[in-house]
Amino acid sequence: MKALAKTRPAEGLELIEAPVPEAGPEDVLIKVRRAAICGTDIHIWNWDEWSQKNVPVPMITGHEFSGEIVAIGKDVNRPLKVGQRVSVEGHVIDLNSEAARAGHFHLDPNTRGIGVNRQGAFAGYVAAPAFNVIELPSDVSDDVASMLDPFGNAVHTAQQFDLLGEDVLVTGAGPIGIMAAAVARHAGARTVVLTDINDYRLELAQKVAPGVRTVNTTREDLHDVIHELGMKVGFDVALEMSGSPIAFRQCVDTLIMGGGLALLGIPSKPMETDWGAIILKALTIKGVYGREMFTTWRKMLGLLNAGLDLDPLITHRFDFADYREGFEVMRSGKSGKVILNWEKAA
């Protein structure tokens, strides 16, 4: 099969011939139809400090994908079928860990990531534990299904606080931030403000999350926007999706007393924090990692069924052989989700 791999400790990825993986007794083998390029894949392409510490070489990358089951391990007892359309929870856990035994699967400290430190889905086929497989309803397209992993990040972050009737700030208009803004709207927030410094993505957000007030913070002051929208004090909840120290400070500055701050964006390096402001405002801060297995998946499929439309977030589609162009577009910052078609890779 064809596969996209990090073959050496340097920038870039290479298209290689690789053996089709075998499904273990508790695994399924999936023929990949679509795979989306993620921010993590960009880190791996760039071979930055994080990638050097976390990604073994060689490694087939890619973890946002959809496909169909072509083989099922002999010990799988879930009612899965060959030919079934599926996506996969990309965090592979140890079911014997203390967290898993307590039912907190997403908090397993020994989690391994498909396409990060376990062979991934930028390939004709990928093997995954049957436990992680998500059956797809017929009304979810292959393209949208390949984005369920990051959509789950957005939903999980939005789940941290009650958003009904609240004023919500989302910082960072990358694909996950845009999806989080759309989720907040569907969750019944009174107002949703989405900030960034990238006009392309702020304009894209208007297509995915109509009614969201977008703000380029290089040109507008959030305090002026608060006044414009009729808020008496500030935001009730902030969802920080960018990892930017500036955005973090804006969240702390504009939240009300007792407000809630959910952090998904990871800073590229340690940052200074005014803990006094956080303490004196009595803010509640929650770190968010991955998706809650498998409550988040049920909720995100429910949101799609209820009419949340992610199709406008897909701005580029490429055949897998044109992966270099896909990565260039994603790295440019002038894209939403970039989808690779892998149907002819095997």
Side-chain angles (χ1 to χ4, degrees), residues 196-199 202-203 215-221 224:
D196 206 290
I197 59 174
N198 184 322
D199 284 330
L202 290 171
E203 291 173 8
V215 178
N216 185 318
T217 52
T218 65
R219 294 196 298 269
E220 289 191 272
D221 189 299
D224 294 334

Side-chain angles (χ1 to χ4, degrees), residues 249-266:
R249 289 193 291 271
Q250 289 170 341
C251 290
V252 173
D253 181 46
T254 58
L255 279 166
I256 64 169
M257 288 282 294
L261 171 55
L263 302 175
L264 181 79
I266 300 175

Side-chain angles (χ1 to χ4, degrees), residues 275-319:
W275 286 104
I278 292 169
I279 293 167
L280 293 174
K281 273 195 166 185
L283 300 181
T284 298
I285 298 180
K286 295 185 179 182
V288 183
Y289 173 63
R291 294 146 300 280
E292 189 173 354
M293 301 161 64
F294 289 92
T295 302
T296 305
W297 287 88
R298 179 176 62 81
K299 287 183 180 294
M300 67 173 103
L301 291 174
L303 284 165
L304 294 176
N305 183 258
L308 197 157
D309 184 11
L310 295 181
D311 277 307
L313 188 60
I314 303 170
T315 57
H316 298 80
R317 294 174 172 87
F318 297 98
D319 185 78

Side-chain angles (χ1 to χ4, degrees), residues 123-328:
Y125 296 90
V126 64
F131 177 81
N132 289 58
V133 169
I134 307 296
E135 305 99 313
L136 293 174
S138 59
D139 59 349
V140 176
S141 70
D142 291 338
D143 285 353
V144 169
S146 72
M147 303 189 297
L148 290 180
D149 178 296
F151 183 44
N153 293 148
V155 173
H156 191 195
T157 306
Q159 281 181 261
Q160 300 306 306
F161 299 99
D162 180 13
L163 303 183
L164 182 63
E166 303 285 48
D167 296 314
V168 179
L169 172 66
V170 182
T171 52
I176 298 177
I178 292 174
M179 289 190 278
V183 171
R185 289 290 294 171
H186 275 257
R190 186 180 83 96
T191 57
V192 180
V193 172
L194 175 63
T195 68
D196 206 290
I197 59 174
N198 184 322
D199 284 330
Y200 178 95
R201 285 184 165 167
L202 290 171
E203 291 173 8
L204 179 62
Q206 295 289 355
K207 301 175 183 177
V208 183
V212 167
R213 173 64 159 89
T214 54
V215 178
N216 185 318
T217 52
T218 65
R219 294 196 298 269
E220 289 191 272
D221 189 299
L222 270 178
H223 292 93
D224 294 334
V225 175
I226 288 171
H227 177 73
E228 170 201 314
L229 296 175
M231 293 182 232
K232 293 183 178 179
V233 182
F235 296 99
D236 304 290
V237 175
L239 312 178
E240 207 304 285
M241 320 297 282
S242 70
S244 163
I246 294 173
F248 177 83
R249 289 193 291 271
Q250 289 170 341
C251 290
V252 173
D253 181 46
T254 58
L255 279 166
I256 64 169
M257 288 282 294
L261 171 55
L263 302 175
L264 181 79
I266 300 175
S268 60
K269 58 184 179 181
M271 63 180 182
E272 291 187 1
T273 301
D274 184 356
W275 286 104
I278 292 169
I279 293 167
L280 293 174
K281 273 195 166 185
L283 300 181
T284 298
I285 298 180
K286 295 185 179 182
V288 183
Y289 173 63
R291 294 146 300 280
E292 189 173 354
M293 301 161 64
F294 289 92
T295 302
T296 305
W297 287 88
R298 179 176 62 81
K299 287 183 180 294
M300 67 173 103
L301 291 174
L303 284 165
L304 294 176
N305 183 258
L308 197 157
D309 184 11
L310 295 181
D311 277 307
L313 188 60
I314 303 170
T315 57
H316 298 80
R317 294 174 172 87
F318 297 98
D319 185 78
F320 74 90
D322 299 320
Y323 72 94
R324 292 185 184 279
E325 188 176 354
F327 270 83
E328 286 173 7

Side-chain angles (χ1 to χ4, degrees), residues 58-76:
M59 175 62 62
I60 296 172
T61 58
H63 61 279
E64 300 180 1
F65 69 99
S66 62
E68 65 176 284
I69 296 174
V70 295
I72 300 175
K74 65 181 181 64
D75 293 336
V76 173

